[in-house]
């Protein structure tokens, strides 16, 4: 069995996967738990969750979720749209990696911040807990149909400041597990995913209540392959993670 993330960004990848009966779709956090428990051998999880579990996991150089520049689905939002020198930001618990990107951005431009970790996922609910909210995935896409103010596309800001691709999820396996077949299927899915994009646009446009063109634009920002640029970002964030760990 292999785990694929159940956010919209992975829909073309899943649609192109040749053996869907071998796929578990869930949140990155739940997929990590399933891998660590041995319920599935490999799957896609948040990049930073991989760093924090390297004693039990190995990176598989296969499917990733990354973008060349902007993402459309990693957004810092507020009801007012104003940046302040000190910010209190509600953050969903479903991703650690995007929070790290935001952290790096805020440190780089010398803004004081406090993160409020929340079990909520929707922008409005997060904004009830703090003046600013970091929203990801489908909930970020839904922001485009609201009056909320988008302050930053986190992927775009990170890429602009650090000249690196934004990598959010990677494929990992439990140490000692053979995932050769799953990796082969993932390579097929990566190759064939563009042929499934338009059908996913139709389904996801109706599901999210958004114009089809927004979904087309969104899927154009997403890349699934593992390449040198992806590896450069992984190396950069790995060093950052190690620097944090050494201070604790």
């Amino acid at each position: 069995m292999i785990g694929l993330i159940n956010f919209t960004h992975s829909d073309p990848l899943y649609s192109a996967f040749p053996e869907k009966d071998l796929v578990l779709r869930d949140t990155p956090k739940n997929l990590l738990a399933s891998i660590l428990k041995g319920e599935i051998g490999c799957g896609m999880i948040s990049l930073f969750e991989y760093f924090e579990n390297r004693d039990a996991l190995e990176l598989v150089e296969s499917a990733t979720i990354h973008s060349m520049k902007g993402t459309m689905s990693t957004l810092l939002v507020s009801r007012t749209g104003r940046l302040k020198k000190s910010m209190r930001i509600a953050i969903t618990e479903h991703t650690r990696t995007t929070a790290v990107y935001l952290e790096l951005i805020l440190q780089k431009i010398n803004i004081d911040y406090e993160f409020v970790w929340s079990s909520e996922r929707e922008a409005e609910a997060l904004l009830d807990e703090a003046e600013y909210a970091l929203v990801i995935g489908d909930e970020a896409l839904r922001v485009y149909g609201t009056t909320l103010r988008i302050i930053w596309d986190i992927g775009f800001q990170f890429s602009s400041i650090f000249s690196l691709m934004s990598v959010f999820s990677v494929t990992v396996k439990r140490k000692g597990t053979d995932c050769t077949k799953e990796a082969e299927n993932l390579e097929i899915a990566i190759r064939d995913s563009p042929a499934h994009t338009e059908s996913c646009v139709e389904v996801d446009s109706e599901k999210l209540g958004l114009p089809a063109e927004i979904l087309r634009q969104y899927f154009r920002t997403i890349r699934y392959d593992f390449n040198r640029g992806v590896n450069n970002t992984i190396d950069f964030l790995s060093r950052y993670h190690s620097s944090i760990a050494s201070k604790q």
Side-chain angles (χ1 to χ4, degrees):
M1 286 287 288
I2 187 169
L4 296 183
I5 299 169
N6 63 354
F7 296 168
T8 296
H9 60 48
S10 294
D11 285 355
L13 188 68
Y14 171 71
S15 294
F17 198 88
E19 297 183 77
K20 293 182 179 57
D21 56 325
L22 299 180
V23 176
L24 170 67
R25 294 200 76 185
D26 210 329
T27 66
K29 194 178 187 71
N30 288 344
L31 291 177
L32 171 63
S34 294
I35 295 169
L36 293 176
K37 291 175 184 176
E39 295 170 349
I40 57 176
C42 58
M44 299 186 71
I45 64 170
S46 167
L47 176 56
F48 238 70
E49 296 287 5
Y50 159 62
F51 293 149
E52 294 175 350
N53 292 276
R54 274 187 285 201
D55 58 330
L57 301 176
E58 294 179 5
L59 183 68
V60 179
E61 294 190 2
S62 185
T64 66
I65 303 295
H66 71 276
S67 70
M68 302 294 291
K69 200 75 169 177
T71 64
M72 295 182 66
S73 63
T74 56
L75 304 178
L76 180 67
V77 301
S78 76
R79 293 189 174 109
T80 63
R82 295 191 302 271
L83 279 175
K84 295 182 178 179
K85 292 298 292 180
S86 181
M87 300 170 65
R88 192 166 182 265
I89 305 166
I91 295 181
T92 176
E93 64 181 8
H94 293 285
T95 184
R96 179 79 174 93
T97 302
T98 308
V100 171
Y101 287 139
L102 177 56
E103 189 173 65
L104 286 165
I105 293 164
L106 293 169
Q107 291 172 359
K108 191 72 171 179
I109 62 177
N110 297 315
I111 289 181
D112 293 327
Y113 61 92
E114 176 189 355
F115 287 166
V116 179
W117 290 91
S118 173
S119 60
E120 299 290 347
R121 296 173 67 170
E122 296 181 3
E124 289 287 359
L126 288 166
L127 288 171
D128 287 338
E129 299 186 20
E131 185 176 358
Y132 303 90
L134 178 64
V135 287
I136 64 166
D138 294 2
E139 300 310 327
L141 291 176
R142 289 190 176 96
V143 167
Y144 293 97
T146 73
T147 59
L148 295 178
R149 302 294 297 275
I150 297 174
I151 297 174
W152 287 329
D153 178 318
I154 301 303
F156 181 85
Q157 288 295 124
F158 173 78
S159 293
S160 297
I161 292 172
F162 295 96
S163 299
L164 291 166
M165 293 180 181
S166 302
V167 181
F168 298 97
S169 301
V170 293
T171 301
V172 300
K173 67 175 183 175
R174 202 171 68 258
K175 285 185 176 179
T177 300
D178 180 13
C179 287
T180 303
K181 179 60 175 177
E182 290 87 345
E184 290 173 353
N185 282 335
L186 270 180
E187 291 305 310
I188 293 170
I190 292 167
R191 183 195 68 200
D192 294 347
S193 59
H196 294 258
T197 298
E198 190 58 31
S199 61
C200 290
V201 164
E202 295 176 7
V203 172
D204 292 331
S205 174
E206 183 173 350
K207 178 182 72 174
L208 296 174
L210 292 172
E213 188 51 40
I214 288 181
L215 273 300
R216 289 190 187 95
Q217 183 179 349
Y218 176 51
F219 287 131
R220 284 195 292 268
T221 71
I222 297 166
R223 300 291 186 275
Y224 299 129
D225 62 310
F226 192 103
N227 56 47
R228 181 179 296 180
V230 167
N231 200 56
N232 289 342
T233 299
I234 291 174
D235 287 346
F236 173 82
L237 290 181
S238 179
R239 292 192 297 271
Y240 179 67
H241 176 263
S242 296
S243 71
I244 295 172
S246 68
K247 295 175 184 177
Q248 294 177 345

mmCIF file of all heavy atoms in Angstrom, residues 13-41:
data_model
loop_
_atom_site.group_PDB
_atom_site.id
_atom_site.type_symbol
_atom_site.label_atom_id
_atom_site.label_comp_id
_atom_site.label_asym_id
_atom_site.label_seq_id
_atom_site.Cartn_x
_atom_site.Cartn_y
_atom_site.Cartn_z
ATOM 1 N N LEU A 13 -2.277 13.291 -9.877
ATOM 2 C CA LEU A 13 -1.340 12.214 -9.578
ATOM 3 C C LEU A 13 -2.093 10.933 -9.235
ATOM 4 O O LEU A 13 -1.779 9.848 -9.731
ATOM 5 C CB LEU A 13 -0.421 12.615 -8.422
ATOM 6 C CG LEU A 13 0.742 11.671 -8.103
ATOM 7 C CD1 LEU A 13 1.762 11.675 -9.240
ATOM 8 C CD2 LEU A 13 1.407 12.076 -6.786
ATOM 9 N N TYR A 14 -3.117 11.078 -8.395
ATOM 10 C CA TYR A 14 -3.924 9.905 -8.025
ATOM 11 C C TYR A 14 -4.680 9.366 -9.236
ATOM 12 O O TYR A 14 -4.750 8.149 -9.448
ATOM 13 C CB TYR A 14 -4.905 10.279 -6.912
ATOM 14 C CG TYR A 14 -5.923 9.198 -6.629
ATOM 15 C CD1 TYR A 14 -5.553 8.022 -6.000
ATOM 16 C CD2 TYR A 14 -7.257 9.364 -7.006
ATOM 17 C CE1 TYR A 14 -6.489 7.017 -5.743
ATOM 18 C CE2 TYR A 14 -8.192 8.371 -6.763
ATOM 19 C CZ TYR A 14 -7.801 7.208 -6.129
ATOM 20 O OH TYR A 14 -8.721 6.213 -5.890
ATOM 21 N N SER A 15 -5.243 10.256 -10.041
ATOM 22 C CA SER A 15 -6.015 9.825 -11.211
ATOM 23 C C SER A 15 -5.159 9.024 -12.186
ATOM 24 O O SER A 15 -5.650 8.111 -12.857
ATOM 25 C CB SER A 15 -6.607 11.039 -11.931
ATOM 26 O OG SER A 15 -7.563 11.686 -11.121
ATOM 27 N N ALA A 16 -3.872 9.350 -12.246
ATOM 28 C CA ALA A 16 -2.963 8.658 -13.177
ATOM 29 C C ALA A 16 -2.324 7.419 -12.549
ATOM 30 O O ALA A 16 -1.629 6.678 -13.256
ATOM 31 C CB ALA A 16 -1.880 9.624 -13.637
ATOM 32 N N PHE A 17 -2.542 7.168 -11.262
ATOM 33 C CA PHE A 17 -1.924 6.022 -10.600
ATOM 34 C C PHE A 17 -2.560 4.730 -11.113
ATOM 35 O O PHE A 17 -3.788 4.591 -11.095
ATOM 36 C CB PHE A 17 -2.103 6.124 -9.084
ATOM 37 C CG PHE A 17 -1.155 5.261 -8.292
ATOM 38 C CD1 PHE A 17 0.087 5.736 -7.937
ATOM 39 C CD2 PHE A 17 -1.512 3.975 -7.917
ATOM 40 C CE1 PHE A 17 0.971 4.950 -7.206
ATOM 41 C CE2 PHE A 17 -0.639 3.174 -7.191
ATOM 42 C CZ PHE A 17 0.611 3.663 -6.838
ATOM 43 N N PRO A 18 -1.778 3.773 -11.591
ATOM 44 C CA PRO A 18 -2.345 2.612 -12.292
ATOM 45 C C PRO A 18 -3.040 1.575 -11.412
ATOM 46 O O PRO A 18 -3.836 0.804 -11.926
ATOM 47 C CB PRO A 18 -1.127 1.999 -12.998
ATOM 48 C CG PRO A 18 0.050 2.471 -12.229
ATOM 49 C CD PRO A 18 -0.307 3.813 -11.680
ATOM 50 N N GLU A 19 -2.751 1.545 -10.108
ATOM 51 C CA GLU A 19 -3.369 0.537 -9.241
ATOM 52 C C GLU A 19 -3.992 1.226 -8.026
ATOM 53 O O GLU A 19 -3.442 1.226 -6.933
ATOM 54 C CB GLU A 19 -2.327 -0.493 -8.790
ATOM 55 C CG GLU A 19 -1.740 -1.297 -9.937
ATOM 56 C CD GLU A 19 -0.775 -2.362 -9.453
ATOM 57 O OE1 GLU A 19 -1.244 -3.406 -8.952
ATOM 58 O OE2 GLU A 19 0.448 -2.149 -9.575
ATOM 59 N N LYS A 20 -5.169 1.793 -8.239
ATOM 60 C CA LYS A 20 -5.788 2.613 -7.200
ATOM 61 C C LYS A 20 -6.221 1.812 -5.978
ATOM 62 O O LYS A 20 -6.405 2.380 -4.895
ATOM 63 C CB LYS A 20 -6.974 3.381 -7.791
ATOM 64 C CG LYS A 20 -6.561 4.422 -8.815
ATOM 65 C CD LYS A 20 -7.742 5.194 -9.337
ATOM 66 C CE LYS A 20 -7.302 6.251 -10.343
ATOM 67 N NZ LYS A 20 -6.554 5.696 -11.478
ATOM 68 N N ASP A 21 -6.401 0.502 -6.133
ATOM 69 C CA ASP A 21 -6.776 -0.310 -4.982
ATOM 70 C C ASP A 21 -5.624 -0.437 -3.986
ATOM 71 O O ASP A 21 -5.823 -0.902 -2.854
ATOM 72 C CB ASP A 21 -7.231 -1.708 -5.421
ATOM 73 C CG ASP A 21 -6.177 -2.434 -6.249
ATOM 74 O OD1 ASP A 21 -5.470 -1.769 -7.013
ATOM 75 O OD2 ASP A 21 -6.079 -3.660 -6.104
ATOM 76 N N LEU A 22 -4.443 0.015 -4.378
ATOM 77 C CA LEU A 22 -3.281 -0.031 -3.488
ATOM 78 C C LEU A 22 -2.990 1.335 -2.864
ATOM 79 O O LEU A 22 -1.957 1.524 -2.224
ATOM 80 C CB LEU A 22 -2.041 -0.503 -4.254
ATOM 81 C CG LEU A 22 -2.111 -1.903 -4.863
ATOM 82 C CD1 LEU A 22 -0.810 -2.221 -5.592
ATOM 83 C CD2 LEU A 22 -2.382 -2.951 -3.777
ATOM 84 N N VAL A 23 -3.922 2.293 -3.032
ATOM 85 C CA VAL A 23 -3.698 3.658 -2.575
ATOM 86 C C VAL A 23 -4.587 3.993 -1.381
ATOM 87 O O VAL A 23 -5.793 3.730 -1.389
ATOM 88 C CB VAL A 23 -3.970 4.678 -3.703
ATOM 89 C CG1 VAL A 23 -3.821 6.107 -3.191
ATOM 90 C CG2 VAL A 23 -3.023 4.441 -4.875
ATOM 91 N N LEU A 24 -3.975 4.585 -0.351
ATOM 92 C CA LEU A 24 -4.701 5.187 0.763
ATOM 93 C C LEU A 24 -4.542 6.693 0.641
ATOM 94 O O LEU A 24 -3.424 7.199 0.603
ATOM 95 C CB LEU A 24 -4.129 4.716 2.100
ATOM 96 C CG LEU A 24 -4.639 5.462 3.347
ATOM 97 C CD1 LEU A 24 -6.121 5.181 3.566
ATOM 98 C CD2 LEU A 24 -3.817 5.086 4.580
ATOM 99 N N ARG A 25 -5.655 7.429 0.571
ATOM 100 C CA ARG A 25 -5.588 8.886 0.521
ATOM 101 C C ARG A 25 -5.989 9.453 1.874
ATOM 102 O O ARG A 25 -7.032 9.107 2.437
ATOM 103 C CB ARG A 25 -6.487 9.453 -0.579
ATOM 104 C CG ARG A 25 -6.057 9.079 -1.978
ATOM 105 C CD ARG A 25 -6.639 10.016 -3.011
ATOM 106 N NE ARG A 25 -5.960 11.309 -3.037
ATOM 107 C CZ ARG A 25 -6.342 12.344 -3.798
ATOM 108 N NH1 ARG A 25 -7.397 12.232 -4.585
ATOM 109 N NH2 ARG A 25 -5.682 13.490 -3.776
ATOM 110 N N ASP A 26 -5.146 10.326 2.416
ATOM 111 C CA ASP A 26 -5.396 10.898 3.734
ATOM 112 C C ASP A 26 -4.574 12.167 3.876
ATOM 113 O O ASP A 26 -3.840 12.557 2.954
ATOM 114 C CB ASP A 26 -5.044 9.877 4.824
ATOM 115 C CG ASP A 26 -5.901 10.045 6.081
ATOM 116 O OD1 ASP A 26 -6.294 11.192 6.378
ATOM 117 O OD2 ASP A 26 -6.150 9.038 6.766
ATOM 118 N N THR A 27 -4.663 12.820 5.028
ATOM 119 C CA THR A 27 -3.858 14.012 5.272
ATOM 120 C C THR A 27 -2.395 13.621 5.466
ATOM 121 O O THR A 27 -2.100 12.469 5.834
ATOM 122 C CB THR A 27 -4.338 14.749 6.526
ATOM 123 O OG1 THR A 27 -4.104 13.917 7.679
ATOM 124 C CG2 THR A 27 -5.821 15.092 6.431
ATOM 125 N N PRO A 28 -1.462 14.544 5.238
ATOM 126 C CA PRO A 28 -0.048 14.221 5.464
ATOM 127 C C PRO A 28 0.221 13.715 6.879
ATOM 128 O O PRO A 28 1.011 12.786 7.069
ATOM 129 C CB PRO A 28 0.662 15.557 5.201
ATOM 130 C CG PRO A 28 -0.249 16.290 4.279
ATOM 131 C CD PRO A 28 -1.638 15.900 4.687
ATOM 132 N N LYS A 29 -0.427 14.312 7.858
ATOM 133 C CA LYS A 29 -0.228 13.918 9.252
ATOM 134 C C LYS A 29 -0.684 12.481 9.489
ATOM 135 O O LYS A 29 0.002 11.679 10.138
ATOM 136 C CB LYS A 29 -0.984 14.879 10.172
ATOM 137 C CG LYS A 29 -0.614 14.802 11.641
ATOM 138 C CD LYS A 29 -1.396 15.831 12.421
ATOM 139 C CE LYS A 29 -0.941 15.897 13.854
ATOM 140 N NZ LYS A 29 0.388 16.499 14.013
ATOM 141 N N ASN A 30 -1.844 12.121 8.946
ATOM 142 C CA ASN A 30 -2.357 10.759 9.123
ATOM 143 C C ASN A 30 -1.547 9.739 8.326
ATOM 144 O O ASN A 30 -1.362 8.604 8.773
ATOM 145 C CB ASN A 30 -3.827 10.693 8.722
ATOM 146 C CG ASN A 30 -4.736 11.381 9.725
ATOM 147 O OD1 ASN A 30 -4.339 11.653 10.855
ATOM 148 N ND2 ASN A 30 -5.954 11.695 9.306
ATOM 149 N N LEU A 31 -1.079 10.135 7.155
ATOM 150 C CA LEU A 31 -0.242 9.221 6.371
ATOM 151 C C LEU A 31 1.069 8.939 7.100
ATOM 152 O O LEU A 31 1.554 7.803 7.109
ATOM 153 C CB LEU A 31 0.041 9.800 4.987
ATOM 154 C CG LEU A 31 -1.160 9.874 4.035
ATOM 155 C CD1 LEU A 31 -0.755 10.530 2.725
ATOM 156 C CD2 LEU A 31 -1.744 8.492 3.767
ATOM 157 N N LEU A 32 1.639 9.959 7.723
ATOM 158 C CA LEU A 32 2.850 9.742 8.509
ATOM 159 C C LEU A 32 2.594 8.716 9.607
ATOM 160 O O LEU A 32 3.393 7.786 9.790
ATOM 161 C CB LEU A 32 3.314 11.062 9.123
ATOM 162 C CG LEU A 32 4.447 10.961 10.143
ATOM 163 C CD1 LEU A 32 5.720 10.423 9.503
ATOM 164 C CD2 LEU A 32 4.701 12.328 10.796
ATOM 165 N N ALA A 33 1.487 8.862 10.313
ATOM 166 C CA ALA A 33 1.167 7.922 11.387
ATOM 167 C C ALA A 33 0.998 6.508 10.838
ATOM 168 O O ALA A 33 1.472 5.539 11.451
ATOM 169 C CB ALA A 33 -0.101 8.370 12.107
ATOM 170 N N SER A 34 0.356 6.377 9.677
ATOM 171 C CA SER A 34 0.138 5.055 9.082
ATOM 172 C C SER A 34 1.455 4.403 8.675
ATOM 173 O O SER A 34 1.629 3.186 8.825
ATOM 174 C CB SER A 34 -0.785 5.167 7.860
ATOM 175 O OG SER A 34 -2.084 5.582 8.243
ATOM 176 N N ILE A 35 2.386 5.213 8.173
ATOM 177 C CA ILE A 35 3.697 4.673 7.787
ATOM 178 C C ILE A 35 4.468 4.230 9.027
ATOM 179 O O ILE A 35 5.041 3.134 9.065
ATOM 180 C CB ILE A 35 4.496 5.711 6.979
ATOM 181 C CG1 ILE A 35 3.802 6.006 5.643
ATOM 182 C CG2 ILE A 35 5.917 5.207 6.717
ATOM 183 C CD1 ILE A 35 4.370 7.210 4.906
ATOM 184 N N LEU A 36 4.481 5.062 10.045
ATOM 185 C CA LEU A 36 5.233 4.741 11.260
ATOM 186 C C LEU A 36 4.672 3.512 11.978
ATOM 187 O O LEU A 36 5.412 2.745 12.596
ATOM 188 C CB LEU A 36 5.242 5.944 12.206
ATOM 189 C CG LEU A 36 6.023 7.172 11.728
ATOM 190 C CD1 LEU A 36 5.864 8.318 12.709
ATOM 191 C CD2 LEU A 36 7.497 6.836 11.531
ATOM 192 N N LYS A 37 3.362 3.315 11.860
ATOM 193 C CA LYS A 37 2.733 2.145 12.485
ATOM 194 C C LYS A 37 2.895 0.883 11.647
ATOM 195 O O LYS A 37 2.545 -0.206 12.099
ATOM 196 C CB LYS A 37 1.235 2.413 12.694
ATOM 197 C CG LYS A 37 0.929 3.462 13.747
ATOM 198 C CD LYS A 37 -0.569 3.730 13.797
ATOM 199 C CE LYS A 37 -0.907 4.846 14.770
ATOM 200 N NZ LYS A 37 -2.371 5.175 14.742
ATOM 201 N N GLY A 38 3.395 1.021 10.431
ATOM 202 C CA GLY A 38 3.553 -0.128 9.558
ATOM 203 C C GLY A 38 2.280 -0.525 8.836
ATOM 204 O O GLY A 38 2.208 -1.605 8.240
ATOM 205 N N GLU A 39 1.271 0.350 8.852
ATOM 206 C CA GLU A 39 0.017 0.050 8.171
ATOM 207 C C GLU A 39 0.163 0.178 6.653
ATOM 208 O O GLU A 39 -0.532 -0.506 5.903
ATOM 209 C CB GLU A 39 -1.085 0.988 8.686
ATOM 210 C CG GLU A 39 -1.404 0.763 10.158
ATOM 211 C CD GLU A 39 -2.314 1.833 10.738
ATOM 212 O OE1 GLU A 39 -2.528 2.869 10.068
ATOM 213 O OE2 GLU A 39 -2.789 1.643 11.865
ATOM 214 N N ILE A 40 1.037 1.069 6.215
ATOM 215 C CA ILE A 40 1.409 1.164 4.807
ATOM 216 C C ILE A 40 2.934 1.269 4.748
ATOM 217 O O ILE A 40 3.576 1.747 5.690
ATOM 218 C CB ILE A 40 0.756 2.370 4.092
ATOM 219 C CG1 ILE A 40 1.113 3.692 4.788
ATOM 220 C CG2 ILE A 40 -0.752 2.196 4.011
ATOM 221 C CD1 ILE A 40 0.569 4.931 4.081
ATOM 222 N N GLY A 41 3.512 0.827 3.643
ATOM 223 C CA GLY A 41 4.969 0.793 3.544
ATOM 224 C C GLY A 41 5.583 2.121 3.185
ATOM 225 O O GLY A 41 6.695 2.444 3.623
#
